[in-house]
Structures are given as C-alpha cells and as structure tokens.
Amino acid sequence: MNKSIPISWNKYNFTLLADRAIYWPKGRVLYIADPHFGKAATFRYSGIPVPEECTQEDCNRIEFLVKKTGAESIVFLGDFFHALSGKTSEVREILYNWRKKNNHIDLYLIRGNHDLNAGDPWEDLNIQSHPDPSKIFGIECRHLPIETSEHPYLAGHIHPGYTLKGKGKRSIRAACFHLSTQHIILPAFGSFTGLKNIKPNLGDQVFITNGEDIFKIPL
Amino acid sequence: MDQSSLKNSPKSSLHYGEKTGKKLIPELSNEKINDFFKSRNWKAFPFQKKTWKAYREGKSGLVHAPTGTGKTYAVWVPPLLEWIEENPKSSKHSPKIRVLWLTPLRALVEDTTRSLRELVEELEIPWTVESRTGDTSGNIKAKQRRKFPTALVTTPESLSLLLSYPETKECFSDLRAVIVDEWHELLSTKRGSQTELCLARLRMWNPSLRTWGLSATLGNLEQAMSTLLGNEKVGILVDGDMHKKFVVKTLIPKNMEKFPWAGHLGGKLVEQVAQAIEKNSTTLVFTNVRSQTEYWFDALLSVRPKWKDQIGIHHGSIDRKVRTEVEDRLRAGSIKAVVCTSSLDLGVDFSPVEQVIQIGGPKGIARLLQRAGRCGHQPGATSNIICVPTQAMELIEYAAARKSMQDKKIEEREPLVAPLDLLSQHLITLALGGGFKEKETLAEIRSAWSYRNLTDEEWGWTIEFIVKGGKTLKAYDQFKRVIKEDGTYHVQSRIISRFHRMSIGTITSDPAISVKFQKGKTLGTIEESFISRIPKGSNFFFSGKLLTLIRVRDLTAIVKLAKSGKGTIPVWGGGKSPLSSELAKSVREQIEQFRLGKSVEPEINAMKGTLELQAQWSQLPSFSEFLIEKTQTNDGTNWFLFPFAGRLAHEGLGALIAYRMSQLKPMTLSVSINDYGLSLSSSSDLDINVSTWKKLLCPDGLIEELLECMNQSEMAKRQFREVARVAGLIFQGYPGAQKSIKQVQASGGLFFDVFAKYDPNNLLLTQARREVLDRQLEAKRLIDKLEEIQSQSIVLKSPQILTPFSFPLWAESLRTQVSSESWSDRVKNMAQELENNY
C-alpha cells in the first residue's frame, strides 16, 4: 500500500496523494478539489449541530501536504465555500490563521457552482479567483467536468466514490480519483463531504483512497 | 343483521331529543344502548357492551380481537352516544373536535374515515368526520386548523405536526377520546413511541381524556395497554376474541424426494396453488417479500394465461393509484386473486375474500393469525389458510404454527426504551408549539411508558443537544435551533420551523427510482442498486408486468412493455422478519415429537424421509442437545450450528463466533445464516473440541465483543441513518427540493464519522449501537440462547456429505465475511478476487 502513486497522464507526471489531492512536481503545484469550507457552519445555521473541527483539520491537512511536497502554489478546483451562510466568523478565523502561516504560497481558485452562491473568498485570504474553465500554468482546470473537451483537464465537482465488491456481502466504499485520457476527476478534499459512485468507462483508471492509503483498482 | 353491512340498514327512526321532547335525557343505561341497537336489528356483542360501559364510566382501555369482529363499533359508538346525550337538541353546527382517531397506515385513513362517517350519517347528527395526512392538500389542512372536524382521522406523524402549532391546544379543548387503531403495529416501533409522546401531551392538556386502543391478539396485552395509556393510568382490557375458527392446511408436495431442501421458490407447487384459487371466488396470496410477489404473479399467469385481467398484484413499491385500484376491486369482489405482501396485512375488511394462501414460512404466529383473519367474514364462517412451502423445513413451521395457534401462544411485542432521537424531535415540536418549561415537561415525558425510566443525564443531554448541538461542542452563535428565554424553550428562526415541520416523523425511506412508462403512467418505485445492474434494453418484472428498460434519468426509469422473453426480478432492501422465539420453540417441539415417534401432524409425516436422513447421517438433536456439524466441501471447512433462534440472532452469533475464532487463529471466515442455524466457512481447517466450543459459545462479554464486531462491519454507521433522520440531522430528500435544503444534505454515515471523531460521547451514537444490538442482532435473545446452550450437551458430528439441516445453509447465497484484516489487506484481497474473475 502507498501513501502516494506517481502517474503519467498525457504529457504530465503527477503524484496522486492518499490525502485526496494531486501534486505536480514540475510546476510545484498542489491540486485540491471541493474543500467546501464552512459546510458545518451552514448546517448549524439550519439547526443541524455539526462541530466545526472539520475546518481546522482540513487546514492542517493542507499545511501538511504543502510541507511534505514543497508546493509553491495551490489550485482549488472549485467549491472553496459551501454556502454563503457558512462564511461565519469562526470559519474566517481558522482560514485566516492558516493563511498567515502559509503566506509564501500562491492560491488560485476556479469558481465552482457553490462559490457562485457563496461569493469569492475574503480578500485577506489573498486567493485569485478564476472563471470555470481557466488555464493555469498551462493546464486546463475546471470545476464542472464536461463530456468532450479540446484539452485534457483536471476537475472536481463530482465527489467521486467507488464501491469495491468482494465475494458475498463484502464491500468497501471509498473516495477515488477517476482518470481517463480526457480528464482527471479529483476526490472531494473536505472532511465533511459525501461521495457519489462513478461508473468508469473502458480504459479508465480508478484509484481509491481512505485518506491514508491509495490503491489502484484493477478494471 | 351483520354489523359490517351497516350502510344498507334502514335510516334511523330514533332521534334523541326531538322525539322524546325532553330537555335532559336520563343517563343512558345498557338497556338504552340495547334499544338503540335493536331498532337496527343488531345484536351488540358482549365485548362491545363492555367497552361502551367502560367508556361511559370515563375509563380508558384496549380492545383486542382478530380483524373483522366489530372492534370499530366497540369504540366508535360510545363517543357518539355521549354527545347525543349531552346535546338533546340537535343543532346544525358541527361540534368542536371530540374524537381523534389514529391509524398506522396512511393508506387506511380514507377507508376508516368513510366507515366512521357512515354511522354518523345514520344517526343524522351534525358531526363532521375528516381525514388529515401528508396527502391532504394545503388548503384543506389550513381550513381544518381554523375549524377542526368533530372527529379527525389521522396518523401519528400528522398528530405530531399538529402539536407544533400553538393554536392546536385551544382547538383541542373539548377533545374527549383518542382511538388508536391497529396499536399492535405501532407498539414496538419509533412511531409507537411517537404516539406515546403525543398522547402524553394531549393528556397534559386534558387529564380526563380517554384513550382506547384496538389491537390484534398479542402475547403481552397488559403491557401493550400500559404503553398506550401511559404509566399513570389504569385501564380495562377487553377481550373481543369471537373464537373464530381457523383452519391451517398445507400443500404438501406430491413427490417429497424431489422437493428442494434449499428453497427454489416452491415453483413446483404453482399448479396446485392455481387449483386452490379456482375453487374459491376471491383469494389473497401472501408472500413474505416483494420480489416473491412478482415471481408468484408471473408464475400463476404462466399456468393460467387467461387470468391476465382477473388477478392483481399489491406490494409497497407499487404506485398508490395502482394499489387503490386493486383494493377497490377486492372490495367489489371483482378480482379472483391478489398476490401481495404485508401491504395487505392491515386495513378495512375486504368481505369477499374467502381464502388466504401463505407462500413460504409464516415466521410468526401473530402474523399467520392476522393473515388468516383476512378471510371468512360471514358470522360463524371459518378462516381458511393454505400454506405453500418453498423449502422442506417450512413444513415443520406450519405444523408448529398451527399448534401454537391452538394453544394461543402468541408473540409479544415490546415497546422501545427511550429513543433519544425521537425525544429531541418531539421537544423541538413542543418548543414550536408554544414553547415548553423544563420541569413540567420532563414529568410529562416520563408519563409515557417508553420514557418512564428516562435518566436525568439523558434528559439533560437531549436539552443540550437541541439548544447547543451537544455537550462537548462549544456554543456557536449561528446555532439557534431552540432558545431558552425566561425558563421557556422555544423556536424563533423561521427556517428552523419550516425544516422541522417538514421532517417530523420517524419513517426512513430509501432513495428510490420511480418506474414510468414513456407516456407518463407511474408504476411504482424500485431501488437504485437494482436498476443500475439492468442494462438498457433488458427486461425485468415489475408491478406484474414484463418491462424493457429504455433509460434512467433524474431518478426515473423509463420503461415500455416487453414483447416477450425472460426478465430479472428486482430485489428490494429491507430484511425478512426472523422466525419468532415462540414459533422457533414450537418448531423444536415438533422435531422432539417426531424423535419420540409421537408426531401426528401431516406436514411432519411428509417430512419423515428427510428427518430420518438427518438422524441417520448426523443427528436429530433433543432438547438437551446442541448439534454442531462439520463437513468438508470444495470451498474448505464448514461448521454448521443449529440454535433455532431466528436469522437476526444467528447473524449476531455468527459475527461473535467468527470474531472469537479469529482470536484463536488469524483467519477470514464467511458466515451464512437462516432461521434455523448458521454456518461458518473457512479455507483452512481448525480442530475444535467440545470444551472450545463451549468457550466460543459462552455468553460472557458478549455485548462488548458484539460492539467490537459492529465497528468492523460498520453496522452502527448504517443504522445511524435512521437515528440522524429522526433527530433532524438529515432531511428526507425529495426531487425538486429547494436549494436551501440541498445545501444541508449529508449522509448518515458522514454524520456518524464526524460525531465519532469529534463528539464520541454523543448519545445518539450510543443509541445507534443499541438499536443494532436490539433490532438487528436480537442480542437479548442471543444471550438467552447462549445461556441455554451452556446447559446443553454439545454434539459434534462430521457427516461426509451435507445433511438436510446443513444443505440450505450451504446453499444460502448471501454470505457475510468477518475479517480481522486491515483496510489495505481487505482491499488487496478483494482486488485479487476481481482479477481472478477475468
């Protein structure tokens, strides 16, 4: 089992990280999709008690990945925020403290469907927001995947999951990276996010991860 | 005259008040009630009279009787007479609400309303009788809230919703009685606990309120009544058993040697079933699961193609309209047979039904009685039920069930113990409905039987949960679910009020795909996991039709009628009910009678060859023996154990033994279960002697170890879906839900993970674990069984081939595996299996 798996995709060499992110060593870029910051706060706003600790943990995870890889930039592939009602002072404080500690890196955001409602991140987080799709460092970055694209692209939005079935009633369901020649769909990064099972086509590759180990599914 | 043909009786000639010309009617005596019935040529049954008298004396109680014996009139007549007595001058205005009638099924509400209304119209009194459910239009609901009908027929959920409106209290100020129909159905469910909590509130408003329950016969009627009346009231138990005759017959396969040991859906008996249907005008064919309904409907048509328009199919996944059509035809007697599931167990009587057929094991005595009661409504008629086995062992079940019915050994149904998810839902309802104060409300909640032992700690936690979101969480500004002001808890936020009212209730429905024709007619719903396995253009059976899948889009499967060919039968989720303890005990007795050569039952006689083979190849265990067989097959070593404790307890036992065995030697075991026993299979062999088996089957430490198994198999996580839904963490999604709702959708599993990590002492997690232990693994029954085994002698047998007892277990296709491997190893092994398949 591995903490990461190097892959080559089109002309790029990427590293798929078990912690639901991709690193591109050549460009020193970390790709993260769908963190959905403030989701717990949105739930609380509607009267559903969810602890805030997820936000802090997700920031810690990013910090750890930046340190481990030596990334100089992060590209968020959409849905940075979950909803407007989740942009609360607690969330802001956690994100701001995290940014202060990591002010040496450049942050980019492809606006996802949730960001359109929630609005761009607070200015003092210093994140450059871009429309979907945009080319960043020469790679097409999207939030919403599309069926056919002129260029191969990285995308989020789906929160891809995969159920591995064994004999009898055994099964394991986990988040996954879904690769085709056309695209790489990243798993959702946020700790408080769900999964939607994908159906890979012939020739696709699927890597499942539980946050600690990553494993290529034989298809 | 038969009371069920009330609508044809002549109009009443007796008008209280007007005809007598007196201002005050003297107190109604039993004699008066008799006169009242006599004018209609009725003879009131003694149990009805007893109920009327008790009601007049201000008492509450429970009437228990099989269906179709006049329970309804026992409780519906007295509130009407009471009003007539109090209002000698008839007025044109409908009185304030006086009777609340609760029924467990939404589908029963309309039928009930209709039949209650008939008597009101007969009496020509200005009462209004209306229904109110989730299906009632918003217009009518609003109108009702301004002026309630005199009698309201509704469900526990709708009543709970009414309590969330502050003005309900004033509207209900003249409420005299609550009638709870089919109480046995609600009793041991969260809906039952919800009913208890609602009743506690109504009694608080009006301490003289009378509560009357109607129930089928149960093993614990006293407890059922206490639960309904709350623990402060004493009630009267009325036995309405008319000693109706039941005849249980079994279709015995002609050629027993060829009869499958492992259940092939009993297809060999289709012709005999068709012949039985031919002999009667109307038959209900009950199966235990929805997929069997589809199978049998198709099988009957294949032997009698001309029945295409004469037989119907009815189960919970079929569209309401289609079901109503079938029900109407049943009532009119214009249908030959209906193949159905428990969807037709309850409800207003279908008087034309002459015969009931039960496919597969009945699994419980009460259930077989209930189903048998669906036929033979003519006074003095016999209820005929024909049993159709789908595997050999079920023959014993029928003989056992008949014996238990004769001996009146009926199952008990126990109320739940203080579900906190429901309590938090109910407290928010009270907070919305005018607010609540802590001290008096705690007393009110504890007056409900299920909550009588609610601890201060549980109460405190629940209050904290609805106010702050939990004990260990710091207060967040924006979390304002329930607010405490001047000692009163209430809800301010409009969004929370709206969300809460939308999600009142305890029924958790699975996300389902609706099945529709291209032209738009909806047939019903099917599970996503099934439809995702059907390729486009392939056929499947649904709603009694062979359909071709055209496409699936937006939670809808578009289909057309298939021209011909074969199809797959969908499998719906939802477990089969386990063999009840009472029936299991009775099955053991039947085997014992056979062993002693004393058996006289025809089913056991037909099983003679099979049971003798079992005795010859292995053993027929006596009451003091516990049989374990060990047989080698191509897959490896199989151990078969026969506790006869029902499938749920066996699932728990399987997980437990597998866990304990893997502590002896690291191994992966697969477990399979049925109602009679369980098997453990492993690729490696292990020699286990009697004393090791005793240790493996020891009840000590069982709960802790089961909890450990539960963690590994994520059972509690799955169970958390229901808890989260009831506690208001999950909104039941529906297509077209507003964005504001979609933004706060998360799965039960996700909540479970988050709480387990950041709020591990959350009592809802504890509750989910307890629910798994109680409901999914029947831990209590398991402990009893293990204690019994400790006192038995263990008999180890090593037959060379599979025995009549072990074969069905070996053939059982659903196997669970218990493994002590890590996530990575499990993934690796499963991936390896996948690769081997290519």
Side-chain angles (χ1 to χ4, degrees):
Chain A
M1 277 293 165
N2 301 294
K3 298 274 168 211
S4 62
I5 294 181
I7 54 152
S8 98
W9 174 78
N10 290 305
K11 55 184 182 174
Y12 303 101
N13 291 315
F14 286 139
T15 310
L16 306 183
L17 305 171
D19 211 356
R20 304 200 288 272
I22 290 181
Y23 185 59
W24 181 32
K26 195 178 165 194
R28 298 196 158 223
V29 186
L30 194 59
Y31 294 92
I32 287 174
D34 301 278
H36 288 265
F37 284 119
K39 186 173 172 185
T42 303
F43 273 57
R44 289 197 301 272
Y45 176 78
S46 307
I48 306 169
V50 185
E52 191 50 76
E53 279 87 340
C54 303
T55 309
Q56 186 60 58
E57 181 184 297
D58 289 347
C59 286
N60 296 348
R61 285 166 58 212
I62 297 177
E63 200 175 316
F64 174 76
L65 288 178
V66 168
K67 275 199 188 121
K68 201 177 84 172
T69 58
E72 289 169 358
S73 319
I74 300 177
V75 177
F76 291 103
L77 298 164
D79 291 356
F80 188 82
F81 282 120
H82 185 66
L84 187 60
S85 55
K87 288 170 85 173
T88 64
S89 53
E90 293 106 14
V91 174
R92 185 186 173 129
E93 200 184 311
I94 296 168
L95 287 177
Y96 185 71
N97 287 339
W98 163 77
R99 185 58 168 136
K100 230 169 43 185
K101 278 198 271 175
N102 297 276
N103 59 4
H104 61 286
I105 48 173
D106 296 326
L107 303 181
Y108 303 85
L109 167 66
I110 304 293
R111 289 189 193 106
N113 52 324
H114 280 258
D115 297 308
L116 297 180
N117 160 285
D120 285 346
W122 297 289
E123 260 181 38
D124 45 15
L125 289 180
N126 196 11
I127 300 176
Q128 281 186 38
S129 296
H130 294 266
D132 178 17
S134 292
K135 247 187 189 166
I136 300 176
F137 305 118
I139 297 178
E140 182 152 312
C141 296
R142 290 179 172 271
H143 175 64
L144 276 168
I146 53 167
E147 218 147 286
T148 47
S149 156
E150 222 176 296
H151 310 285
Y153 64 88
L154 304 178
H157 184 69
I158 304 286
H159 300 207
Y162 189 83
T163 304
L164 181 61
K165 286 192 174 130
K167 275 185 191 158
K169 276 202 261 181
R170 285 187 306 157
S171 70
I172 286 179
R173 186 163 185 240
C176 71
F177 295 88
H178 180 196
L179 277 67
S180 74
T181 48
Q182 181 78 223
H183 63 61
I184 302 180
I185 314 287
L186 277 76
F189 185 81
S191 304
F192 190 50
T193 55
L195 297 176
K196 185 177 190 321
N197 271 20
I198 51 147
K199 281 183 200 159
N201 291 317
L202 206 65
D204 289 1
Q205 297 180 60
V206 172
F207 296 82
I208 63 167
T209 167
N210 68 341
E212 282 161 21
D213 287 319
I214 178 166
F215 186 86
K216 184 173 178 182
I217 299 291
L219 290 173
Chain B
M1 186 192 277
D2 173 19
Q3 290 184 25
S4 64
S5 55
L6 174 71
K7 61 182 156 197
N8 302 322
S9 59
K11 284 271 175 196
S12 160
S13 59
L14 190 67
H15 292 264
Y16 282 93
E18 280 171 75
K19 287 253 166 161
T20 57
K22 285 179 194 163
K23 275 193 177 174
L24 282 169
I25 292 276
E27 195 180 317
L28 275 171
S29 64
N30 271 329
E31 205 182 317
K32 286 263 178 188
I33 297 171
N34 284 341
D35 287 351
F36 178 82
F37 257 52
K38 243 182 239 161
S39 72
R40 282 160 183 74
N41 288 329
W42 286 355
K43 200 173 169 330
F45 298 122
F47 83 90
Q48 291 176 322
K49 288 188 195 166
K50 192 176 169 188
T51 311
W52 298 344
K53 183 168 176 283
Y55 183 93
R56 282 196 46 78
E57 289 164 4
K59 287 181 184 152
S60 296
L62 183 75
V63 183
H64 62 99
T67 45
T69 47
K71 274 186 287 189
T72 305
Y73 295 116
V75 289
W76 181 226
V77 169
L80 294 174
L81 290 185
E82 182 185 53
W83 181 86
I84 292 170
E85 182 194 339
E86 286 175 17
N87 297 273
K89 278 211 170 132
S90 199
S91 94
K92 278 179 188 166
H93 299 290
S94 70
K96 256 185 137 172
I97 183 163
R98 288 173 74 104
V99 177
L100 199 57
W101 190 287
L102 296 181
T103 169
L105 286 183
R106 232 201 272 192
L108 296 182
V109 168
E110 288 311 319
D111 278 349
T112 308
T113 309
R114 217 177 302 148
S115 80
L116 296 185
R117 216 176 261 157
E118 278 169 13
L119 188 53
V120 167
E121 283 165 9
E122 278 298 310
L123 292 172
E124 295 181 329
I125 53 173
W127 277 44
T128 46
V129 185
E130 286 174 24
S131 62
R132 182 187 179 95
T133 66
D135 294 338
T136 310
S137 76
N139 256 346
I140 293 179
K141 277 188 189 166
K143 211 184 106 207
Q144 284 178 342
R145 286 223 317 277
R146 283 193 298 274
K147 171 98 173 96
F148 277 99
T150 326
L152 183 70
V153 184
T154 189
T155 58
E157 289 76 16
S158 290
L159 171 58
S160 187
L161 187 56
L162 281 175
L163 298 185
S164 79
Y165 295 98
E167 58 275 20
T168 302
K169 185 180 177 182
E170 167 46 36
C171 298
F172 279 16
S173 62
D174 202 24
L175 189 68
R176 303 298 178 93
V178 182
I179 315 289
V180 184
D181 208 349
E182 315 264 17
W183 174 235
H184 60 280
E185 273 299 309
L186 292 169
L187 180 57
S188 54
T189 67
K190 276 188 196 166
R191 302 181 72 213
S193 306
Q194 184 175 32
T195 308
E196 288 178 53
L197 288 175
C198 291
L199 289 174
R201 168 108 309 199
L202 296 179
R203 273 180 214 120
M204 213 267 288
W205 287 346
N206 179 1
S208 63
L209 183 76
R210 278 156 288 188
T211 313
W212 280 88
L214 303 178
S215 168
T217 308
L218 289 174
N220 56 333
L221 284 164
E222 286 286 346
Q223 189 183 28
M225 180 171 72
S226 307
T227 311
L228 181 69
L229 305 190
N231 33 346
E232 282 153 18
K233 282 221 173 187
V234 188
I236 167 166
L237 204 54
V238 180
D239 182 355
D241 193 346
M242 307 297 292
H243 305 287
K244 198 173 175 180
K245 263 201 190 150
F246 292 101
V247 175
V248 180
K249 279 189 192 145
T250 302
L251 281 189
I252 292 170
K254 291 200 174 90
N255 208 341
M256 269 302 284
E257 301 91 84
K258 286 186 188 158
F259 190 66
W261 283 349
H264 281 257
L265 299 164
K268 293 186 171 68
L269 294 165
V270 177
E271 177 57 36
Q272 278 171 270
V273 172
Q275 285 169 14
I277 292 172
E278 271 163 352
K279 280 185 206 144
N280 285 279
S281 66
T282 310
T283 303
L284 284 180
V285 183
F286 281 103
T287 67
N288 290 338
V289 289
R290 284 168 276 190
S291 52
Q292 283 234 350
T293 314
E294 297 282 347
Y295 172 88
W296 275 89
F297 183 81
D298 180 60
L300 284 172
L301 280 187
S302 70
V303 296
R304 295 289 185 281
K306 60 173 187 206
W307 282 358
K308 198 166 173 290
D309 299 314
Q310 295 169 45
I311 64 174
I313 180 167
H314 193 286
H315 62 71
S317 291
I318 289 178
D319 190 59
R320 179 79 58 82
K321 268 189 202 152
V322 182
R323 276 188 275 162
T324 311
E325 251 174 64
V326 170
E327 288 163 25
D328 289 344
R329 289 179 66 195
L330 258 180
R331 218 169 277 127
S334 65
I335 198 161
K336 196 147 194 57
V338 177
V339 189
C340 56
T341 57
S342 50
S343 60
L344 283 183
D345 273 2
L346 302 181
V348 173
D349 301 326
F350 301 112
S351 26
V353 176
E354 283 186 346
Q355 161 182 265
V356 164
I357 295 178
Q358 162 70 33
I359 311 256
K363 302 300 166 202
I365 299 142
R367 186 185 205 181
L368 193 63
L369 264 174
Q370 174 91 15
R371 290 183 170 180
R374 306 298 306 185
C375 67
H377 291 300
Q378 293 70 30
T382 309
S383 287
N384 288 308
I385 187 155
I386 298 178
C387 300
V388 182
T390 59
Q391 57 146 301
M393 290 296 281
E394 283 166 1
L395 285 167
I396 311 183
E397 243 178 79
Y398 299 133
R402 180 170 51 231
K403 184 77 177 50
S404 299
M405 273 163 84
Q406 284 161 2
D407 298 348
K408 298 213 181 297
K409 283 185 187 154
I410 318 285
E411 290 88 4
E412 299 189 352
R413 288 196 185 173
E414 285 193 32
L416 303 185
V417 179
L420 296 186
D421 52 350
L422 184 68
L423 179 60
S424 67
Q425 182 188 98
H426 184 70
L427 287 180
I428 296 168
T429 303
L430 298 187
L432 263 170
F436 70 88
K437 286 194 168 25
E438 202 164 334
K439 207 175 149 200
E440 59 194 44
T441 304
L442 175 58
E444 174 190 324
I445 300 292
R446 281 185 180 149
S447 76
W449 178 273
S450 292
Y451 293 90
R452 68 195 187 286
N453 295 325
L454 184 77
T455 64
D456 289 345
E457 189 212 343
E458 287 170 321
W459 171 258
W461 185 87
T462 310
I463 293 282
E464 197 124 33
F465 180 71
I466 62 168
V467 175
K468 284 198 219 152
K471 215 170 186 128
T472 59
L473 304 191
K474 59 173 189 179
Y476 294 104
D477 281 352
Q478 76 278 30
F479 185 78
K480 290 194 175 107
R481 202 175 184 191
V482 171
I483 290 166
K484 187 179 182 180
E485 256 175 15
D486 302 331
T488 304
Y489 292 89
H490 60 97
V491 175
Q492 251 174 3
S493 151
R494 279 178 58 199
I495 186 166
I496 286 170
S497 315
R498 197 163 58 93
F499 279 6
H500 183 74
R501 289 203 174 106
M502 251 170 7
S503 57
I504 280 178
T506 60
I507 299 168
T508 311
S509 58
D510 284 310
I513 301 279
S514 58
V515 181
K516 263 187 184 171
F517 280 130
Q518 262 169 314
K519 282 177 192 149
K521 190 189 173 193
T522 305
L523 291 169
T525 57
I526 214 157
E527 285 184 11
E528 193 174 10
S529 58
F530 171 75
I531 209 82
S532 67
R533 288 196 306 270
I534 304 280
K536 274 182 208 170
S538 294
N539 296 345
F540 65 98
F541 283 98
F542 182 67
S543 196
K545 295 175 171 66
L546 184 60
L547 304 168
T548 306
L549 180 66
I550 300 174
R551 63 173 177 274
V552 181
R553 190 186 292 161
D554 296 339
L555 298 174
T556 306
I558 304 289
V559 297
K560 61 179 182 193
L561 280 179
K563 292 201 178 76
S564 65
K566 289 190 169 177
T568 325
I569 294 173
V571 176
W572 283 269
K576 298 176 198 161
S577 17
L579 185 70
S580 73
S581 303
E582 286 73 14
L583 192 51
K585 210 178 284 167
S586 188
V587 164
R588 285 298 308 264
E589 269 157 26
Q590 291 294 331
I591 294 174
E592 184 70 3
Q593 292 296 315
F594 176 83
R595 222 178 53 83
L596 301 172
K598 286 189 196 162
S599 187
V600 289
E601 307 291 342
E603 291 89 352
I604 307 295
N605 198 29
M607 284 280 289
K608 199 171 172 238
T610 311
L611 292 174
E612 277 169 356
L613 271 188
Q614 174 67 31
Q616 205 179 319
W617 293 349
S618 166
Q619 185 143 337
L620 271 180
S622 73
F623 277 132
S624 59
E625 291 167 331
F626 184 76
L627 175 66
I628 299 175
E629 292 177 3
K630 180 180 169 185
T631 304
Q632 304 287 341
T633 60
N634 290 339
D635 316 338
T637 311
N638 308 276
W639 290 273
F640 299 98
L641 288 76
F642 303 99
F644 289 84
R647 56 177 60 245
L648 299 184
H650 291 164
E651 195 174 338
L653 184 58
L656 180 78
I657 300 177
Y659 174 79
R660 288 176 175 178
M661 273 171 125
S662 65
Q663 307 287 309
L664 294 177
K665 177 184 169 184
M667 63 202 303
T668 296
L669 285 152
S670 56
V671 180
S672 73
I673 52 155
N674 64 22
D675 277 315
Y676 314 110
L678 65 143
S679 81
L680 297 139
S681 313
S682 164
S683 48
S684 56
D685 195 4
L686 189 65
D687 205 23
I688 310 173
N689 61 24
V690 168
S691 72
T692 311
W693 272 117
K694 280 251 157 160
K695 273 182 217 142
L696 288 171
L697 293 163
C698 174
D700 299 343
L702 171 121
I703 298 293
E704 294 74 27
E705 281 166 285
L706 276 183
L707 285 171
E708 185 50 41
C709 300
M710 212 189 280
N711 280 343
Q712 286 183 12
S713 61
E714 304 198 327
M715 285 176 99
K717 189 166 161 176
R718 285 196 297 269
Q719 184 65 26
F720 201 67
R721 197 167 102 83
E722 182 191 305
V723 174
R725 181 252 176 282
V726 176
L729 303 174
I730 299 177
F731 296 113
Q732 206 103 282
Y734 50 87
Q738 292 137 302
K739 198 170 176 190
S740 56
I741 297 174
K742 282 186 182 162
Q743 273 176 354
V744 288
Q745 287 289 9
S747 71
L750 192 53
F751 277 112
F752 185 88
D753 286 342
V754 168
F755 287 140
K757 199 163 175 185
Y758 302 114
D759 189 15
N761 297 321
N762 191 310
L763 291 186
L764 293 180
L765 297 175
T766 317
Q767 186 191 329
R769 291 189 192 107
R770 194 175 68 198
E771 282 178 6
V772 173
L773 283 178
D774 291 352
R775 290 201 242 157
Q776 292 184 31
L777 304 174
E778 289 197 299
K780 204 173 138 217
R781 189 170 172 188
L782 183 51
I783 292 173
D784 289 349
K785 186 45 84 172
L786 291 184
E787 273 161 7
E788 184 191 318
I789 293 171
Q790 292 302 313
S791 67
Q792 291 172 320
S793 63
I794 289 179
V795 179
L796 290 181
K797 291 279 171 184
S798 302
Q800 294 302 301
I801 43 172
L802 295 164
T803 65
F805 277 14
S806 69
F807 185 79
L809 277 166
W810 180 77
E812 179 88 26
S813 58
L814 289 179
R815 287 166 178 242
T816 28
Q817 285 210 339
V818 176
S819 163
S820 39
E821 301 161 319
S822 67
W823 187 83
S824 313
D825 288 338
R826 280 192 294 151
V827 171
K828 248 186 225 164
N829 287 342
M830 271 150 69
Q832 190 62 47
E833 279 169 22
L834 268 180
E835 274 172 358
N836 292 345
N837 289 343
Y838 287 104

